[in-house]
Amino acid sequence: HVGRGHLLDRRAGPGMTLEFKVQFLGPAREGRVRCRGRIMRLGKSLAFMSSEARDADDQVIAFATATWKLLRAK
């Protein structure tokens, strides 16, 4: 699976997902859900990323971690 994760693509180009894990902590019952992603570490060939989703009360309802293989050298 070759992906174009927007955050990674903007920083380092296209990548391929090596590992992806999501943990759901609670439901999004109503209102707006905000998601935020970040690159935890960007190496020459791998990127380690995380993200979280927060509900209208600013409570974390899910978070994810991912490891991506960069398809272009940095």
Side-chain angles (χ1 to χ4, degrees), residues 20-28 33 35 51 53 60-65:
F20 183 73
K21 180 180 180 181
V22 179
Q23 292 185 276
F24 299 97
L25 305 176
V33 174
C35 298
S51 60
V60 176
I61 56 173
F63 66 95
T65 57

Side-chain angles (χ1 to χ4, degrees), residues 8-45:
L8 182 62
D9 192 41
R10 287 186 3 198
R11 290 275 309 272
M16 179 176 72
T17 308
L18 297 177
E19 179 269 336
F20 183 73
K21 180 180 180 181
V22 179
Q23 292 185 276
F24 299 97
L25 305 176
R29 298 194 186 277
E30 60 183 78
R32 185 173 289 206
V33 174
R34 292 181 302 116
C35 298
R36 180 176 215 166
R38 70 183 187 103
I39 296 174
M40 297 167 34
R41 183 172 185 175
L42 181 58
K44 291 182 181 180
S45 63

Side-chain angles (χ1 to χ4, degrees), residues 44-67:
K44 291 182 181 180
S45 63
L46 295 177
F48 301 91
M49 303 174 73
S50 66
S51 60
E52 68 179 30
R54 292 181 174 265
D55 66 12
D57 294 326
D58 204 34
Q59 297 298 307
V60 176
I61 56 173
F63 66 95
T65 57
T67 306

